[in-house]
Every structure is written in C-alpha cells, then in structure tokens.
Amino acid sequence: MSATPLATLARTSAPQAMLRRFLALDAAVTGTNALAYLAFSGPLGRFLGVDSTLLLALGAFLTVYAAGVGLLASRPQPPALGVRAVVEANLAWTAVSLVALALWLTPSTAGAVWTVLQSMVVAAFAALQYTALRARQGMSA
C-alpha cells in the first residue's frame, strides 16, 4: 500500500495522524461490535447461528480490547510496541476467526459470511496500522 492512497484514506499525509486515526477507527468499530454482542447476544446468536454465550464472552473481551486500542489512539504519539501488539492481535484475531469457522463453528450462512467479512476488516486494520507505523518510523529515521 503506497503512501498516497493511505494518506487519502486517512485524510491526512501526516504519518502520526494517520496512525492515530486508524487506531481510533479500529477502537470505534470494535467497540460497536462489542456493544452489539453484549446487548443483542440472543437475537444475534440466532441470526448468526452461534451460541449467545459465545457472543457475550466475545463482547466482554472486545469491550476491553477496544478500550485499550482507544487509549493507545488517544496518546499524542502511540508507542511502537503498543501499535505492534495491536497489529499482531488483529492478525491473530483474523487467523483464529477463519480457523474457528473451518474447524469449530457451524454458523448459519449469515454467520459464515459475517465471520469472513469481519476477519477481512480486522486484517485491513492490521495492514493500515502497520503501514502507518512504518511511515511514521520512516519520517523519524
């Protein structure tokens, strides 16, 4: 991913601002998912074909994760180690989602599509955050 499309997507060419925006967007999307899983675990579980207890547990986990990513995004200069941890967690989430879909979960068609789509979004966040971190490090080198 080149710097120009990345800057257009972030609506800024400042690597620090890009990084913070991608982290904040990740926190907002993750937090929204978390709240939906917590508030609507029964209906969502039936629609997606997954156990509502699983959605409650995921909602609780994602709430904490979103808060951590949001805290990182709020820092004037998010530490590289923290950003790398978020990138790696996002990549792990993507892999675990797809492995769970293949080996463990038996969701409805909507649930299978949702699992694939959300894993692609999370992978995209990882790529955007990693690219923005590299751009920031390139500016300081």
Side-chain angles (χ1 to χ4, degrees):
M1 181 174 280
S2 73
T4 303
L6 188 64
T8 302
L9 185 60
R11 296 181 185 257
T12 180
S13 60
Q16 186 65 28
M18 275 191 264
L19 180 57
R20 293 181 68 214
R21 285 181 185 177
F22 293 140
L23 289 167
L25 183 59
D26 186 353
V29 169
T30 301
T32 300
N33 251 2
L35 294 177
Y37 290 170
L38 290 171
F40 305 109
S41 62
L44 280 175
R46 287 188 293 280
F47 177 68
L48 299 174
V50 297
D51 184 55
S52 62
T53 305
L54 174 63
L55 289 181
L56 281 172
L58 289 174
F61 169 77
L62 291 174
T63 299
V64 174
Y65 182 75
V69 175
L71 181 63
L72 194 61
S74 73
R75 305 276 306 268
Q77 184 165 341
L81 184 61
V83 175
R84 279 192 219 99
V86 168
V87 169
E88 289 175 11
N90 283 343
L91 292 174
W93 179 272
T94 299
V96 169
S97 294
L98 296 175
V99 167
L101 181 60
L103 301 178
W104 175 49
L105 296 174
T106 54
S108 64
T109 301
V113 169
W114 174 252
T115 301
V116 171
L117 289 178
Q118 64 82 29
S119 68
M120 289 173 29
V121 169
V122 173
F125 279 137
L128 291 168
Q129 292 157 350
Y130 177 77
T131 303
L133 178 63
R134 296 278 305 209
R136 182 184 80 178
Q137 291 171 333
M139 294 294 289
S140 64

